[in-house]
Amino acid sequence: MPERWHGTLLLWAVILVAVIVNTVLSNLLPKLECLILIIHVLGFFAVLIPLVYMAPHGDAASVFTVFLNEGGWPTTGLSFMEPTQLSTFVSIPLRNLHNVGLILTILQMSEEISNAAVNVPRSMLTSVMLNGTLGFAMLVAVLFCLGDIEQIAESNTGYPFMEIFLNATQSVGGAAAMASIVATLGICATIALLASSSRMTWSFARDRGLPFSRYLGKVEPRSQIPLVAILLTVIISILLSLINIGSVTAFNQIISLTIGGLYGSYLIAAALLLVRRLDGSISLAASSYEPDARKTKIIDQENSSDGEGVGGSDIVVNLTWGPFRVPGALGVAVNVAGMVYMVVIIFFSFWPPLRPVTPQNMNYSVLMTGSVICFSIVYYLVHGKRTYKGPLVEV
């Protein structure tokens, strides 16, 4: 039987692959992402076709009208919203971790993309539509081919989807081949997520929003990649993976923090956009320089005295709409609906998976989220408010 530390070592190996791609092979990253997209689409059909063709099928009534409450919750509705089921449904538009990584990579690498105002929204919308379609198709197929739920939940593999593949193919080799496709996409997702998270770290450090910004905001001159930010991201990932050795449940609950973290960041952006919509501060003017506009600091790195403070000159910059927007009252309604949806998702993402709640099944992601929020507030009050003046533009 595999030990827990085996899984941790495998995770380290995957992280090493992601580091090599994001550093040594960084010039090939765009081409590799195109290759990953091809693998992603072909892998979908390589799993879907044998699953649908070979597995026994359930009936539509059991798929669409049967709801199980296996978590000990007082109502089926509450059970439906608990994190295990919730994570399944909120991931439909994203398809899987690869698509999450793809969206974040597109967003956080905007400064490296030509004509970002058009290409970034277009890429994100295309990704969501493509993976939303593939994800929904795969979800329906898996539900029809599910079989005995109790047998799948108690699978010796520890992964129910592998048991579904095995029941469908009646072949260990076939199930292993299908599972390897999922594992490959997980590795590809790690590559994209490392690129995204390291650039988020570097970008925020460049804006003087993180501790040790002077070091985290550096870019390696020859390769033009944020090596220090990549190293920090890798170290944090390795340290978190050690939790798996002590408790698989605690590790899984902590990594479920991604739901609350991602949707929390989306909620902040949506709330700020709603405020700007309602006060009319986003204009349609072609020029971005207006006397009454809000200010953005432009930093001359060569003239900045210590690299931590804010030197340079103030340039008045007006907020203007880009080519992608939902205008008027409809835009406000979409904003509000999205925010309500995200609040519900965030609230239930911190719930434990079942009752009664014990130290073993407790969802510790709420502890990590609260700790990060408390640290951020204290850091801002003590130091950050003197160095962080908003997004900076280097000249």
Side-chain angles (χ1 to χ4, degrees):
M1 291 293 293
E3 301 291 338
R4 293 174 181 172
W5 60 271
H6 293 164
T8 300
L9 289 179
L10 286 174
L11 178 57
W12 289 2
V14 172
I15 293 175
L16 178 61
V17 171
V19 171
I20 292 175
V21 173
N22 278 276
T23 54
V24 180
L25 304 177
S26 59
N27 292 334
L28 299 177
L29 187 58
K31 295 180 180 179
L32 288 175
E33 285 289 349
C34 293
L35 176 62
I36 290 171
L37 177 61
I38 296 174
I39 296 174
H40 177 58
V41 176
L42 294 180
F44 165 79
F45 290 105
V47 171
L48 182 69
I49 293 175
L51 180 65
V52 172
Y53 180 76
M54 303 179 69
H57 296 168
D59 57 273
S62 63
V63 171
F64 295 107
T65 64
V66 175
F67 298 89
L68 301 177
N69 182 0
E70 300 294 334
W73 301 104
T75 65
T76 303
L78 193 58
S79 175
F80 177 83
M81 297 302 297
E82 71 86 13
T84 302
Q85 282 79 16
L86 181 64
S87 61
T88 301
F89 286 94
V90 299
S91 65
I92 290 175
L94 301 178
R95 173 65 162 75
N96 52 28
L97 283 176
H98 168 252
N99 193 52
V100 176
L102 178 61
I103 291 176
L104 291 178
T105 302
I106 294 170
L107 184 60
Q108 299 305 325
M109 299 179 72
S110 298
E111 296 180 3
E112 305 174 33
I113 298 175
S114 60
N115 196 15
V118 173
N119 291 329
V120 169
R122 182 180 295 165
S123 299
M124 293 177 67
L125 290 173
T126 301
S127 178
V128 169
M129 289 187 292
L130 171 64
N131 289 279
T133 303
L134 299 183
F136 184 75
M138 183 63 72
L139 176 62
V140 173
V142 168
L143 290 176
F144 270 100
C145 303
L146 199 57
D148 188 346
I149 295 180
E150 292 185 1
Q151 176 199 357
I152 293 171
E154 298 173 358
S155 170
N156 293 329
T157 65
Y159 297 93
F161 76 91
M162 292 184 181
E163 189 70 21
I164 294 174
F165 294 163
L166 181 60
N167 292 340
T169 61
Q170 296 298 310
S171 166
V172 174
M178 295 170 69
S180 67
I181 296 174
V182 179
T184 300
L185 291 176
I187 296 173
C188 295
T190 305
I191 296 172
L193 288 170
L194 178 59
S196 169
S197 56
S198 61
R199 280 164 173 78
M200 279 192 288
T201 302
W202 166 78
S203 179
F204 201 25
R206 182 197 59 180
D207 295 343
R208 314 293 182 246
L210 291 176
F212 309 107
S213 293
R214 179 181 300 187
Y215 306 103
L216 294 175
K218 286 185 177 180
V219 174
E220 202 276 323
R222 185 178 60 85
S223 61
Q224 293 296 302
I225 58 176
L227 283 178
V228 180
I230 291 176
L231 178 61
L232 176 65
T233 304
V234 169
I235 291 175
I236 293 175
S237 300
I238 290 175
L239 293 177
L240 288 176
S241 69
L242 294 176
I243 300 174
N244 181 66
I245 299 177
S247 172
V248 175
T249 302
F251 177 73
N252 289 334
Q253 294 299 337
I254 287 176
I255 62 176
S256 71
L257 174 67
T258 53
I259 297 177
L262 287 172
Y263 280 83
S265 63
Y266 302 157
L267 179 61
I268 293 173
L272 294 176
L273 177 60
L274 180 61
V275 171
R276 291 291 181 252
R277 281 182 180 275
L278 296 178
D279 67 13
S281 60
I282 308 179
S283 69
L284 297 174
S287 173
S288 61
Y289 298 97
E290 298 276 340
D292 60 345
R294 283 156 176 76
K295 295 181 178 179
T296 296
K297 182 71 70 175
I298 305 289
I299 294 300
D300 186 343
Q301 295 285 8
E302 296 181 357
N303 296 330
S304 180
S305 58
D306 58 2
E308 288 286 346
V310 284
S313 58
D314 287 342
I315 295 182
V316 182
V317 180
N318 187 41
L319 296 174
T320 58
W321 287 109
F324 286 85
R325 71 186 184 95
V326 181
L330 180 59
V332 173
V334 171
N335 245 148
V336 172
M339 290 173 61
V340 171
Y341 172 76
M342 286 184 281
V343 168
V344 173
I345 296 296
I346 294 170
F347 176 75
F348 283 103
S349 71
F350 295 138
W351 281 44
L354 52 84
R355 295 178 62 195
V357 181
T358 65
Q360 288 72 34
N361 64 27
M362 172 62 184
N363 188 343
Y364 291 99
S365 62
V366 65
L367 174 62
M368 291 191 64
T369 302
S371 300
V372 171
I373 292 174
C374 291
F375 172 79
S376 301
I377 293 174
V378 172
Y379 174 76
Y380 179 79
L381 295 176
V382 173
H383 179 73
K385 64 181 180 181
R386 296 197 299 270
T387 59
Y388 180 69
K389 304 298 180 181
L392 310 179
V393 179
E394 297 177 1
V395 295

